[in-house]
Amino acid sequence: MAPTKTQGQPRGTIQGSVQSGLVDFSIRAVPLPTDVTNFLSANMTTLKRLHRDRRSAATVDDDVAAADEVSIEGAEVVVTPEDFWPKLEQLLQKAGREWAGLADQIWAFGPRRVGPNMLIDRTEGAPRS
Amino acid sequence: MSRDLRLFRLLRKSLRIEVVHLDSLRRRLERQAALPSALATPGSALELPKTPAADDLAHGQEFSATEQPAPEGLDLSKLKASLTEVDTTSAEALSTLPDVRELDENFDTAFQLSMNRGPLCAEPVIGMAYFFERVALNAEDMDISQGN
């Protein structure tokens, strides 16, 4: 295996700095467990619905459009919005020690807030959005 | 004290309003499912009262010289004092570190954009987790009033 890009840090770590040092940060990229990826891709609609509830239940007419995106991963279960977080938690638990308990630290999904990638807040202090 | 500096302060204020409802995505979504109209009134950020050009004492003097005599009851020296007071507080606020939280939106947006267009051929990224491990602001090294 090639050496890590950042010396002395776990694989995937990038330490960046912008605005000539005003802000510096460290981000580690890790592949998601396949189960979690599949679950997230299958449940994009669910996530979208969760986000939509949040933006006040305005007139919801893109249900039809959303229905097209369901079941790209035919085998994966599509859960109801209420079941989303418990199920995700369970999958993360199953994925191993590194992932267990991360459900509450998820900052965002992406792209477009519903995709099969996640940004996880591991900074100290209060949790982020 | 420059215009940049005032802008920066205003920006910080408006951002702080945004920062109020920060929480884990899960808890936020759950809370807002219970309270569907919680986000329906975000406009407050734009309605910030514009602070007068209080930073600039010279400006104040200029005004006091050129404007018509103050109406009865308005003590110019008191006004001037209040202006300088604002000035010092702003200087204090600047010398302390701005809150890292103010950058959260930016990190979120960056994440959404980079997931949308991956590093190889602008492909959507699938199945990656990004651990946001550390962020620090080193404001004391910077001369923010220079605007760079």
Side-chain angles (χ1 to χ4, degrees):
Chain A
M1 240 180 178
T4 57
K5 298 273 191 244
T6 310
Q7 290 283 316
Q9 295 286 333
R11 184 165 295 277
T13 307
I14 288 290
Q15 289 172 336
S17 128
V18 287
Q19 292 278 305
S20 52
L22 175 60
V23 183
D24 59 56
F25 56 90
S26 160
I27 290 177
R28 188 160 55 95
V30 179
L32 271 176
T34 324
D35 284 347
V36 180
T37 311
N38 289 343
F39 173 75
L40 287 178
S41 336
N43 285 287
M44 277 190 204
T45 331
T46 315
L47 254 181
K48 211 177 268 175
R49 196 161 290 145
L50 277 168
H51 278 292
R52 195 192 292 139
D53 285 349
R54 183 184 143 204
R55 265 189 253 122
S56 90
T59 48
V60 185
D61 56 350
D62 48 342
D63 254 336
V64 192
D68 295 340
E69 295 171 36
V70 192
S71 71
I72 305 164
E73 317 282 328
E76 275 302 317
V77 267
V78 178
V79 297
T80 59
E82 298 80 55
D83 291 341
F84 179 81
W85 288 106
K87 178 76 177 155
L88 181 61
E89 207 160 26
Q90 185 192 327
L91 278 172
L92 288 171
Q93 195 78 41
K94 231 180 350 181
R97 270 225 342 259
E98 197 196 354
W99 301 97
L102 282 187
D104 280 325
Q105 293 176 32
I106 293 171
W107 181 348
F109 296 100
R112 277 170 280 208
R113 312 204 169 272
V114 297
N117 307 283
M118 50 173 89
L119 182 60
I120 298 166
D121 177 28
R122 294 296 292 271
T123 52
E124 309 93 43
R128 285 190 156 79
S129 49
Chain B
M1 290 291 171
S2 64
R3 190 178 47 88
D4 288 337
L5 196 144
R6 279 203 301 279
L7 276 177
F8 179 73
R9 227 171 59 230
L10 266 181
L11 195 68
R12 285 184 53 190
K13 270 192 215 156
S14 60
L15 280 170
R16 188 154 298 143
I17 292 171
E18 291 296 312
V19 166
V20 171
H21 47 72
L22 275 178
D23 212 335
S24 140
L25 177 64
R26 175 181 189 175
R27 254 164 275 142
R28 222 180 40 190
L29 287 179
E30 279 168 356
R31 198 173 52 227
Q32 261 134 19
L35 245 180
S37 56
L39 272 196
T41 53
S44 47
L46 294 176
E47 291 154 21
L48 264 177
K50 288 270 191 293
T51 46
D55 297 323
D56 214 333
L57 189 56
H59 240 89
Q61 278 162 346
E62 216 177 279
F63 267 108
S64 67
T66 54
E67 297 283 283
Q68 68 267 39
E72 73 290 346
L74 181 59
D75 187 0
L76 267 183
S77 62
K78 207 184 279 177
L79 180 63
K80 218 176 281 176
S82 72
L83 290 182
T84 40
E85 208 171 300
V86 172
D87 195 6
T88 52
T89 51
S90 79
E92 264 169 42
L94 263 173
S95 65
T96 62
L97 279 182
D99 194 351
V100 190
R101 290 307 164 106
E102 291 162 15
L103 296 168
D104 281 5
E105 289 279 306
N106 305 44
F107 279 112
D108 187 26
T109 310
F111 170 69
Q112 300 297 342
L113 288 177
S114 54
M115 290 306 94
N116 206 17
R117 326 202 80 209
L120 295 179
C121 19
E123 79 287 5
V125 179
I126 290 182
M128 289 299 292
Y130 293 85
F131 290 82
F132 191 74
E133 293 184 320
R134 185 179 58 79
V135 61
L137 265 173
N138 311 311
E140 72 274 16
D141 303 339
M142 296 280 298
D143 193 354
I144 297 167
S145 60
Q146 296 292 309
N148 46 5

